[in-house]
Amino acid sequence: MAKAGKRMRRAVESMDAEKLYVIEEAISAIKERATAKFDEAIEMSLNLGIDTRHADQTVRGAVTLPNGTGKTLRVAVFARDAKAEEAKGAGADIVGSEELAEEIQNGRSDFERVIATPDMMPVVGRLGKILGPRGLMPNPKVGTVTQDVAKAVQDAKSGQVQFRAEKAGIIHAGIGKASFGDEALVENAKTFFNAISAAKPSGVKGTYIKKVSMSSTMGPSVQLDLAALSSA
């Protein structure tokens, strides 16, 4: 196992591993230790008490963070005619139909979000083996299969975060950058947490959210006071 660097060791040693942080304290501590030579992402992880083997315990959705994520997504849209023009007008980076599908089959991958109108799904469906493993397959549950392509593009560009529980019941996402102000990160974190809370599946009987932690890209993780976060 590789040894932690001096910077990481100092950051870990200066934090109380047993402490449960309120959200404001957590963000202040994380930003103080985000000392890499780039603008580190601030990430939030939730451990959920779900069993993803059961269809009625799936957690999936999307939420637009009020202060964005600090990252600009390149958006590809599958649409024709008027809907294609709507997508271009809304700021889509790539717009096409069958010819775009062919380009993707031939290796094109310069995009981080894919949106499609319903009539284009037979074409997009053939790309499942390419888009699926990257988490890019359009899905009506997260608003990426829609007639309102303009809104979907605007949402993607303005800080929408898609979330889906992993096999172990963990959801994580970037909620901003270390360069953001504390208040902006607090607001984003609460918005993301509330979205996961609201997405509680009907099949969950016990504790839904078991643990919440935050970290920067290169920094140590802190655990949040779940009771305080829930009441906030």
Side-chain angles (χ1 to χ4, degrees):
M1 176 184 260
K3 292 184 178 180
K6 290 182 180 179
R7 186 189 65 82
M8 175 61 84
R9 290 201 300 271
R10 285 196 298 268
V12 171
E13 289 167 0
S14 66
M15 301 187 80
D16 185 350
E18 303 300 321
K19 180 177 179 179
L20 297 179
Y21 289 75
V22 297
I23 185 68
E24 292 81 2
E25 286 181 320
I27 286 172
S28 178
I30 290 167
K31 288 182 63 178
E32 183 180 338
R33 292 160 179 81
T35 57
K37 295 180 180 180
F38 61 93
D39 192 7
E40 297 184 48
I42 305 299
E43 301 172 350
M44 192 169 188
S45 298
L46 295 89
N47 292 57
L48 306 180
I50 62 174
D51 186 343
T52 55
R53 293 174 298 177
H54 299 290
D56 63 352
Q57 295 191 38
T58 299
V59 180
R60 184 173 190 177
V63 59
T64 299
L65 302 181
N67 302 293
T69 63
K71 179 181 178 180
T72 300
L73 295 182
R74 281 183 58 82
V75 178
V77 177
F78 282 89
R80 295 188 180 96
D81 305 324
K83 291 298 177 182
E85 294 305 314
E86 286 180 26
K88 292 175 184 177
D93 301 282
I94 306 165
V95 181
S97 52
E98 285 83 0
E99 77 286 354
L100 176 56
E102 186 175 347
E103 290 175 12
I104 293 172
Q105 287 175 326
N106 290 332
R108 185 170 188 177
S109 61
D110 57 337
F111 48 85
E112 294 85 29
R113 181 71 55 85
V114 179
I115 296 164
T117 54
D119 63 295
M120 289 300 305
M121 286 309 294
V123 174
V124 180
R126 297 197 291 270
L127 302 173
K129 291 184 178 180
I130 299 172
L131 299 180
R134 293 179 61 194
L136 295 177
M137 196 65 186
N139 190 304
K141 291 182 179 180
V142 293
T144 48
V145 177
T146 176
Q147 286 287 6
D148 195 349
V149 290
K151 182 179 185 303
V153 170
Q154 290 163 359
D155 286 345
K157 292 285 189 178
S158 64
Q160 186 188 66
V161 172
Q162 295 182 353
F163 57 85
R164 183 176 186 176
E166 298 175 354
K167 190 175 183 179
I170 297 172
I171 285 180
H172 59 84
I175 59 157
K177 297 284 188 177
S179 58
F180 282 24
D182 287 15
E183 290 184 5
L185 287 170
V186 168
E187 190 175 11
N188 278 0
K190 289 180 178 178
T191 299
F192 184 66
F193 175 81
N194 290 339
I196 304 303
S197 298
K200 179 180 179 180
S202 60
V204 176
K205 304 303 181 184
T207 301
Y208 174 45
I209 299 178
K210 300 168 67 176
K211 178 182 175 182
V212 181
S213 58
M214 294 183 68
S215 68
S216 64
T217 304
M218 302 294 290
S221 172
V222 300
Q223 188 172 342
L224 302 189
D225 185 325
L226 186 54
L229 183 59
S230 299
S231 63

